[in-house]
Amino acid sequence: MGEALGLIRVGGGRGLWLFAELDTIAFDIVLLFAIVYVLRARARMTPLFILLLLVFLMTAVPLVYTVNNFGTLFRLRQMLFFLAAMLPVTLAPESPA
């Protein structure tokens, strides 16, 4: 979008743009699912959930603020992907034994 508006120019890639876009869509879906699930299950907050949420935030904020190279951000955000995917798991209801 920034390139279409003339704000930035991104070169190179050789066909990896499709992969990057699909990865971004998958990341957005996982993040959206995690946010919705957390908002619905906020009554079951566990210490593990709090820990993962803090690690997610303490990693995401500096990462987004300091990394100015898209390729580096693309590689490093997989850490955030894993944490976002694990957040709903920590709030899952216990199964009856």
Side-chain angles (χ1 to χ4, degrees):
M1 186 171 183
E3 205 168 5
L5 293 172
L7 299 174
I8 61 171
R9 182 189 165 336
V10 180
R14 283 198 176 211
L16 289 178
W17 279 108
L18 178 63
F19 177 75
E21 293 299 324
L22 291 175
D23 182 71
T24 299
I25 291 170
F27 182 78
D28 291 344
I29 290 171
V30 167
L31 195 58
L32 182 64
F33 174 77
I35 290 169
V36 170
Y37 194 91
V38 166
L39 289 176
R40 288 186 175 184
R42 63 182 173 267
R44 295 191 305 259
M45 287 194 186
T46 62
L48 179 59
F49 168 78
I50 303 287
L51 174 70
L52 283 180
L53 183 63
L54 287 173
V55 171
F56 179 85
L57 293 174
M58 292 177 71
T59 306
V61 172
L63 186 69
V64 170
Y65 182 72
T66 59
V67 176
N68 59 3
N69 181 322
F70 179 75
T72 303
L73 184 61
F74 179 71
R75 290 186 297 273
L76 293 177
R77 72 179 177 176
Q78 300 310 314
M79 295 182 294
L80 301 177
F81 182 85
F82 176 74
L83 291 170
M86 293 312 300
L87 283 172
V89 174
T90 64
L91 295 177
E94 292 184 26
S95 61

